[in-house]
Amino acid sequence: METQVAIVGAGPAGLLLGHLLQRAGVESVVLEARTREHVEQRVRAGVLEQGTVDVLTETGVAGRLHREGMVHRGLELRFGGAGHRIALSDLAGGRAITVYGQQEVVKDLIAARLEAGGEVRFEAEATAVEDFDGDRPRVRFRAGGEEQELRCAVVAGCDGFHGVSRRAVPAGALSGFEREYPFAWLGILARARPSSEELIYTHSDRGFALHSMRSPEVTRNYLQVAPDERLDAWPDERIWEELRARMATDDGFELSEGEIFDKGITPMRSFVAEPMRFGRLFLAGDAAHIVPPTGAKGLNLAVADVRVLARALRDFFERGDEAGLDGYSDRCLRRVWRVQHFSWWMTSMLHRMDAGDPFEAKLQRSQLEYVCGSHAAATTLAENYVGLELEDA
Ligand code: FAD
Ligand code: PHB
């Protein structure tokens, strides 16, 4: 098998890259380890930045997103038993976020790509990425019980944090920057109408809680839990009780409840690999960096990477111009580190720290009051949350 760009991974990064390349007349093949059903059902992110919605709209894959997505122009920070609205759009030049499940974006991109005759090989697990220091790299993969090989001019490693692409880079060529947090998130989907029109990020003595949604009938809630927490320690009633306790307000907030149909625990980590390019191998999305979900940025960062990469690859294949490829890593890393800082800051401000350190808790309350009381501080949160317009990214 042979193609121009071998894309490893059919998450949002790999699928959007394939879509953008197809529109630019560049040929690609996407290899995905799991089944189509699996990637379409995997429950993850829900918040799309304005820039993410814009690129999906401009490239014709946002029809359902605009029908079913929920546009939000603010969010609530809740602490000390009261809510405080951050008016995102007023503070960030009219920009907004859209709540639309990641798996819906994935479904839309797969449908668009197959309809356009593009190739996505499901149940094709890459086992090695080789020869990317020359101009004929290849990806070895296993499909239908057989070892196969995909030859190409460029490899895009879009295979997430646990994929093979980053691990193919020789030790010493890559620097990793990492922070682990002493907690995880337990997330649920429930058949319950949202209890608020906007997302609620709650700081409480019992730990962080987040109220989000997927539709007028489905809510998504998260609880900060211990990093080694086991799901079976959290029967449904305990989850609702803890959500009610953390989100309680002095004026009697009522959380609507319903059947829980999805439950999972996600560890929290910040990670950046530098650089994001090694010869003809380019890393994008979670393969290159992970952020804790408190800033709602991982998916959006993956989209920002592949926009830069698609443009650079178009210039390369159209005109042999390598400037975009040469600048890829630096350009992406500027946004990556801004987003790393924002995600770390939101995480540090909102979670109960190790052993409930009372000094830390006082600092957090002071910071939350400042963000809600100062126009400048609220603007900082708002413009980062809806997505900064950085040069070229
Ligand atoms: P992935 O989605 O991980 O896709 C990688 C793909 O590669 C997968 O399909 C995988 O099966 C495949 N793969 C792996 N190894 C191989 C191999 N060897 N061969 C072939 N295929 C392979 N982000 C936000 O922006 N907003 C949010 O609100 C948000 N909330 C989140 C909530 C939770 C609970 C979690 C877990 C994450 C959240 N994120 C959020 C982060 C977001 O989901 C990720 O950043 C996003 O999925 C990254 O996309 P990706 O395409 O880079 O990687
Ligand atoms: C979600 O709806 O899944 C969600 C929302 C906001 C976050 C993280 C996840 O910060």
Side-chain angles (χ1 to χ4, degrees), residues 7 25-27 70 124 130 149 156 165 186 214 227 238 364:
I7 301 176
V26 177
E27 193 189 289
M70 305 160 98
E130 295 171 350
E149 193 177 283
S165 303
L186 187 163
R214 287 293 178 271
R238 182 176 176 207
Q364 290 174 327

Side-chain angles (χ1 to χ4, degrees), residues 29-340:
V29 171
V30 180
L31 300 175
E32 166 57 49
R34 314 299 296 255
T35 62
R36 178 173 178 180
E37 293 66 38
H38 180 89
V39 300
E40 290 189 343
Q41 298 309 322
R42 201 164 37 195
V43 176
R44 283 180 159 185
V47 172
L48 309 185
E49 288 178 359
Q50 180 80 57
T52 299
V53 172
D54 290 347
V55 68
L56 297 172
T57 305
E58 284 156 19
T59 63
V61 279
R64 198 162 66 92
L65 161 71
H66 287 295
R67 286 195 302 277
E68 298 177 13
M70 305 160 98
V71 176
H72 286 200
R73 303 195 171 278
L75 61 75
E76 180 179 325
L77 292 179
R78 184 173 289 186
F79 52 94
H84 308 262
R85 183 169 191 262
I86 303 291
L88 297 172
S89 297
D90 294 344
L91 293 163
R95 292 157 72 77
I97 54 139
T98 301
V99 177
Y100 187 65
Q102 175 170 325
Q103 75 268 37
E104 306 306 324
V105 176
V106 163
K107 280 181 205 160
D108 296 343
L109 285 169
I110 290 174
R113 193 158 156 83
L114 296 180
E115 199 173 302
E119 194 167 359
V120 186
R121 296 276 306 261
F122 293 99
E123 297 178 82
E125 183 182 3
T127 51
V129 180
E130 295 171 350
D131 296 341
F132 46 86
D133 48 352
D135 59 6
R136 300 303 297 156
R138 49 206 173 127
V139 180
R140 292 187 188 280
F141 66 98
R142 208 168 16 233
E146 269 178 49
E147 300 290 333
Q148 302 183 40
E149 193 177 283
L150 175 59
R151 294 175 183 279
C152 55
V154 169
V155 179
C158 300
D159 46 353
F161 184 66
H162 300 286
V164 291
S165 303
R166 192 180 66 254
R167 279 186 273 131
V169 176
L174 179 147
S175 302
F177 301 85
E178 189 160 16
R179 172 149 308 182
E180 291 205 16
Y181 298 89
F183 37 79
W185 277 17
L186 187 163
I188 60 157
L189 280 172
R191 281 183 231 292
R193 65 178 167 74
S195 309
S196 153
E197 293 198 347
E198 297 176 341
L199 270 57
I200 307 172
Y201 287 80
T202 306
H203 174 275
S204 94
D205 296 341
R206 303 174 70 103
F208 172 73
L210 171 60
H211 178 61
S212 180
M213 60 201 71
R214 287 293 178 271
S215 72
E217 295 85 35
V218 172
T219 55
R220 177 104 172 116
N221 295 300
Y222 295 96
L223 284 170
Q224 172 186 356
V225 294
D228 54 356
E229 194 65 79
R230 292 162 47 95
L231 261 188
D232 54 18
W234 287 88
D236 295 1
E237 191 40 47
R238 182 176 176 207
I239 293 175
W240 290 119
E241 232 172 71
E242 193 58 33
L243 283 165
R244 281 195 300 266
R246 293 187 191 183
M247 298 188 68
T249 57
D250 296 343
D251 59 4
F253 172 74
E254 278 192 37
L255 182 67
S256 63
E257 299 177 18
E259 178 213 347
I260 296 179
F261 62 95
D262 188 275
K263 245 190 233 187
I265 291 185
T266 313
M268 303 270 271
R269 182 189 275 126
S270 303
F271 173 78
V272 181
E274 288 195 10
M276 289 167 61
R277 181 238 180 131
F278 309 87
R280 291 287 185 91
L281 167 63
F282 295 82
L283 302 178
D286 278 17
H289 39 69
I290 298 276
V291 286
T294 330
K297 290 292 172 213
L299 164 63
N300 295 295
L301 206 47
V303 168
D305 287 351
V306 300
R307 289 176 81 178
V308 178
L309 186 54
R311 227 177 303 147
L313 288 169
R314 183 200 56 202
D315 292 349
F316 175 63
F317 285 106
E318 231 176 57
R319 308 197 298 273
D321 177 354
E322 297 204 28
L325 294 181
D326 291 343
Y328 171 73
S329 181
D330 285 351
R331 190 162 296 159
C332 290
L333 284 167
R334 277 204 297 279
R335 176 182 289 274
V336 167
W337 279 110
R338 172 86 302 277
V339 165
Q340 282 292 355

